[in-house]
Amino acid sequence: MHIRDLLAANQPSISFEFFPPKTAAGADSLFEVVRELASKKPSFVSVTYGAGGTTRDLTHDLVIRILEETEIPAVPHLTCVLHSKEEIAQILSRYADAGVGNILALRGDPPRNMPEYNRMDDDFPYAGDLVRFIADFNRDSTSPDFGIGVAGFPEGHPETPNRLMEMDYLKAKVDEGADYICTQLFFDNHDLFDFRDRCELAGINIPIIAGVMPVTSRKSMVRMAELAAGARFPAKLQRLLKDSPEDDVTALGIDFATSQCEELIKEGIPGIHFYTLNKGRATSEVVERLAL
């Protein structure tokens, strides 16, 4: 089932993101988290894709294991940086044969050891090019077609300071065939609501899933900012944590994320996507408090 259909049938939906471990022991450890969070009845889970395709097989293997060992739809991320059309077609065929029904189509980043990388030399310079390719694959394939998700940035895309042009780029991805948006993590709901309004003004009318990550430590906040290419931590959150002992940070982060999710649900956001960092406790507690 496509994510757009899951959202239409089950609102508000919850979903979780995982990244593929590099070792068998790490994969087994992660699956304990997957099973724990599976008990929360998520609409789907997603699996990330390393820079330049560095986790291609690991991503595939984790997606297939989730499909085989749980009843949860698994959505692989797919990036187009450093990938040819032939490579992308092979990946899509492999997922289609495995019964995968959705793809999160992203431009992605090159590996850090390629500082001179020029995306314009790629077969897919932009995420919209990948969306178009998947849509064409859907039309040409005899397999059931893929639902296509794309990324949205409530705080603004870090590489596109022109916010008007940024919405044009997002609209182009939608026009090429995207049917839902999953946002980067954010901590101020006003950013998400403003993003939703700007989407409406731009003629973007597909569902927006909000990306949320509970803070579990001050160290994790720094990591979040790096992973999200500059996530903004509002004063309200910083004030909450400013003079608190480190042992209290997880509980306070859970409180903050719960309040954030409650407001998002109240305001009609159709889905919340939790960035888990492959940990279950904080996300599990937030979902339990929401009692969805």
Side-chain angles (χ1 to χ4, degrees), residues 26-256:
D28 289 339
S29 178
L30 170 60
F31 235 76
E32 293 302 314
V33 177
V34 172
R35 291 190 180 96
E36 175 188 353
L37 292 177
S39 68
K40 309 306 175 188
K41 306 298 183 183
S43 297
F44 68 95
V45 300
S46 71
V47 180
T48 65
Y49 194 78
T54 51
T55 68
R56 179 187 306 181
D57 290 333
L58 294 173
T59 297
H60 175 273
D61 292 347
L62 180 56
V63 166
I64 300 308
R65 185 174 179 184
I66 291 171
L67 290 176
E68 290 178 346
E69 298 186 26
T70 77
E71 297 180 353
I72 309 168
V75 181
H77 294 202
L78 180 59
T79 67
C80 51
V81 165
L82 297 173
H83 283 44
S84 67
K85 292 180 179 179
E86 291 75 16
E87 288 173 321
I88 294 295
Q90 290 173 0
I91 293 170
L92 293 175
S93 294
R94 193 179 181 192
Y95 279 134
D97 291 343
V100 173
N102 298 273
I103 300 286
L104 186 61
L106 310 167
R107 190 199 72 190
D109 300 310
R112 293 183 180 181
N113 63 355
M114 299 183 65
E116 303 303 319
Y117 161 77
N118 181 2
R119 70 184 182 195
M120 300 311 295
D121 294 334
D122 276 353
D123 281 356
F124 304 95
Y126 301 101
D129 301 316
L130 177 58
V131 173
R132 183 190 317 118
F133 189 86
I134 298 172
D136 289 342
F137 182 93
N138 284 343
R139 284 188 287 271
D140 296 338
S141 175
T142 57
S143 302
D145 62 350
F146 292 109
I148 307 172
V150 293
F153 297 82
E155 297 177 358
H157 193 288
E159 295 183 20
T160 312
N162 184 325
R163 296 293 167 242
L164 297 176
M165 186 177 293
E166 176 187 44
M167 299 310 293
D168 291 341
Y169 291 157
L170 180 57
K171 180 64 162 56
K173 291 191 288 187
V174 174
D175 290 346
E176 293 292 357
D179 49 30
Y180 75 95
I181 297 166
C182 189
T183 79
Q184 182 57 277
L185 64 92
F186 60 93
F187 295 95
D188 190 331
N189 286 349
H190 293 295
D191 290 325
L192 189 281
F193 300 144
D194 182 74
F195 174 75
R196 179 179 61 179
D197 291 345
R198 287 185 288 123
C199 283
E200 182 179 349
L201 288 168
I204 298 170
N205 298 306
I206 61 177
I208 299 172
I209 301 174
V212 172
M213 181 186 287
V215 172
T216 56
S217 68
R218 290 185 173 86
K219 183 178 180 180
S220 73
M221 289 178 65
V222 176
R223 187 181 181 194
M224 289 177 204
E226 292 173 350
L227 291 174
R232 183 172 66 84
F233 295 93
K236 179 181 179 180
L237 176 59
Q238 294 189 46
R239 188 176 296 114
L240 179 69
L241 302 178
K242 182 175 183 294
D243 298 319
S244 302
E246 185 67 28
D247 290 346
D248 294 342
V249 170
T250 296
L252 293 171
I254 290 171
D255 289 343
F256 187 90

